[in-house]
């Protein structure tokens, strides 16, 4: 069942975070739904602009609608990840997305407010909720190139003003993470002090943590042992998710770790089966491994076994 993130956040706030997982194809969709249904977790499907153009945006919609039929117990939101203004309107008008992210974080504060407010007005008219972003993550975001050295953490005072002026429904904050597999070069980590200050000025307001893949070292080692070259890849400690959730983070974005599962499964399979050329045996292994990975993530997020509580809220 497709719901808005608003309903999911109401159930989760202060207790756990909802996993927001990027998908691009059928195998990821099957693994994601299987993993969330098996762990009884509500979830968010994220679709990036790149994912929409990988095959065709209509293909992804069709996949998700079909997965909804195959897994009738699933409860999830469909969310545009890192949208520009034009893509937000396309998703709002599609009648399919329940949530969009407008990412104007590379703009000045005033311009970010202006663009976000326009998207919020258009989305709210159709009952669609909006995530916005303030501050800049390190690494590379779809259309936003940010040097890690210049990454700017979210200013708590600005955050309160931004939410007031835009009317957005949730806020992606920069608290030290970055996208991709190379987040930390040394002992850096999450800035819980900044998160605490943001929660103080925005009590009960859902916050979002992007760039939250953990880049498990055993996964990286297996990829490298099977011919990969991912030296020095490092991510967020997943045992910190629950602390972040207590401080108001209700949505945690994970994409890179899923790509690592894909890379490991395919590298190992073809190393062990140099004669192989059938896509299905390896596809089957990937779907099962992806489902297992999703279950593990949901356990860290605390969203496992929460589906009944969400169903109760929805039935009120
Ligand atoms: O933050 C970006 C997400 O990981 C999506 O990546 O734009 O390559 O689909 P993508
Ligand atoms: P990762 O690259 O850490 O998986 O972050 C994904 C993300 O923030 C998508 O918006
Ligand atoms: Zn992101």
């Amino acid at each position: 069942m497709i719901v808005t993130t608003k309903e999911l956040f109401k159930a989760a706030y202060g207790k756990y975070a909802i996993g927001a997982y990027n998908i691009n194809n059928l195998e990821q969709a099957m693994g994601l739904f299987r993993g969330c249904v098996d762990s009884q977790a509500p979830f968010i499907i994220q679709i990036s602009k790149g994912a929409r153009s990988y095959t065709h945006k209509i293909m992804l919609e069709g996949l998700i609608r079909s997965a909804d039929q195959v897994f009738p117990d699933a409860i999830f939101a469909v969310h545009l990840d890192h949208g520009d203004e034009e893509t937000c309107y396309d998703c709002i008008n599609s009648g399919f997305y329940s949530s969009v992210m407008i990412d104007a974080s590379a703009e000045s504060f005033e311009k970010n407010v202006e663009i976000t407010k326009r998207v919020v007005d258009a989305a709210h008219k159709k009952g669609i909720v909006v995530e916005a972003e303030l501050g800049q993550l390190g690494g590379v975001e779809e259309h936003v190139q940010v040097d890690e050295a210049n990454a700017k953490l979210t200013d708590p005072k600005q955050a309160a003003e931004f939410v007031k002026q835009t009317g957005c429904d949730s806020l992606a904050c920069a608290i030290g993470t970055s996208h991709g597999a190379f987040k930390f070069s040394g002992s850096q980590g999450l800035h819980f002090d900044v998160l605490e200050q943001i929660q103080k000025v925005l009590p009960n307001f859902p916050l979002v943590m992007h760039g939250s893949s953990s880049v498990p070292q055993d996964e990286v080692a297996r990829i490298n042992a099977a011919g990969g070259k991912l030296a020095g890849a490092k991510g967020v400690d997943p045992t910190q998710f629950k602390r972040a959730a207590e401080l108001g983070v209700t949505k945690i974005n994970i994409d890179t770790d899923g790509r690592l599962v894909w890379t490991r499964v395919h590298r190992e399979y073809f190393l062990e089966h140099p004669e192989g050329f059938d896509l299905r045996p390896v596809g089957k292994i990937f779907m099962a491994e992806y489902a297992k990975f999703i279950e593990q993530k949901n356990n860290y997020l605390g969203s496992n076994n929460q589906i009944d509580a969400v169903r109760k809220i929805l039935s009120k």
Side-chain angles (χ1 to χ4, degrees):
M1 184 202 322
I2 300 177
V3 298
T4 71
T5 51
K6 200 168 200 150
E7 290 149 325
L8 299 182
F9 294 162
K10 200 194 283 174
Y13 190 90
K15 297 188 286 243
Y16 63 93
I18 313 271
Y21 302 103
N22 291 70
I23 67 159
N24 296 268
N25 66 10
L26 174 143
E27 286 78 9
Q28 280 182 306
M30 286 302 284
L32 174 58
F33 276 77
R34 164 66 43 223
C36 286
V37 167
D38 285 355
S39 57
Q40 296 283 292
F43 61 105
I44 298 167
I45 300 180
Q46 304 212 110
I47 302 177
S48 71
K49 205 174 155 185
R52 279 162 58 87
S53 61
Y54 169 56
T55 51
H56 192 285
K57 59 186 182 184
I58 305 287
M59 283 299 294
L60 273 178
E61 287 191 25
L63 264 180
I64 294 165
R65 285 190 208 280
S66 303
D68 196 18
Q69 279 182 289
V70 176
F71 298 93
D73 292 337
I75 297 183
F76 58 99
V78 181
H79 174 78
L80 168 70
D81 190 28
H82 293 288
D84 52 31
E85 194 171 1
E86 189 190 338
T87 312
C88 282
Y89 295 142
D90 193 50
C91 292
I92 291 166
N93 294 329
S94 74
F96 179 63
Y97 290 71
S98 59
S99 171
V100 294
M101 176 190 187
I102 172 67
D103 181 359
S105 60
E107 305 287 350
S108 66
F109 179 84
E110 292 73 23
K111 190 99 184 139
N112 190 354
V113 166
E114 195 185 304
I115 296 170
T116 302
K117 172 98 176 65
R118 278 202 297 270
V119 171
V120 167
D121 289 345
H124 284 182
K125 270 188 206 140
K126 300 211 171 186
I128 294 163
V129 297
V130 178
E131 173 184 326
E133 179 167 333
L134 185 68
Q136 290 181 18
L137 274 74
V140 180
E141 296 181 5
E142 291 256 13
H143 56 290
V144 183
Q145 297 260 343
V146 189
D147 189 311
E148 177 129 53
N150 294 330
K152 288 193 211 112
L153 301 184
T154 304
D155 175 340
K157 272 195 220 93
Q158 275 198 338
E161 196 50 38
F162 183 83
V163 169
K164 195 170 134 201
Q165 289 190 31
T166 60
C168 65
D169 302 281
S170 61
L171 186 68
C173 302
I175 57 155
T177 64
S178 61
H179 292 109
F182 303 89
K183 301 187 193 302
F184 306 116
S185 50
S187 58
Q188 308 98 317
L190 303 182
H191 290 254
F192 283 114
D193 50 333
V194 176
L195 203 50
E196 259 172 49
Q197 291 171 45
I198 298 174
Q199 194 193 33
K200 257 191 207 130
V201 292
L202 285 169
N204 295 313
F205 189 81
L207 305 175
V208 178
M209 212 164 86
H210 281 245
S212 301
S213 278
S214 307
V215 194
Q217 293 304 293
D218 54 335
E219 196 78 308
V220 173
R222 284 176 71 174
I223 290 171
N224 289 343
K229 282 195 178 146
L230 293 177
K234 252 188 188 169
V236 176
D237 175 357
T239 62
Q240 300 197 320
F241 290 168
K242 286 196 178 149
R243 176 145 184 241
E246 283 162 14
L247 294 171
V249 172
T250 50
K251 173 173 178 275
I252 291 192
N253 288 11
I254 296 165
D255 183 12
T256 296
D257 282 352
R259 296 180 186 205
L260 293 178
V261 175
W262 186 93
T263 307
R264 184 251 303 163
V265 166
H266 288 80
R267 278 199 178 278
E268 286 185 347
Y269 182 85
F270 285 109
L271 196 67
E272 283 160 21
H273 301 85
E275 74 297 347
F277 59 90
D278 187 349
L279 66 157
R280 288 173 303 201
V282 66
K284 281 255 182 215
I285 296 171
F286 172 70
M287 287 187 274
E289 287 293 294
Y290 198 75
K292 211 161 79 185
F293 150 78
I294 294 286
E295 274 200 64
Q296 286 163 355
K297 286 288 176 198
N298 291 339
N299 291 346
Y300 278 121
L301 295 161
S303 62
N304 56 320
N305 298 321
Q306 294 292 343
I307 210 152
D308 285 339
V310 171
R311 217 169 260 127
K312 261 190 209 142
I313 288 185
L314 290 169
S315 65
K316 274 185 196 157

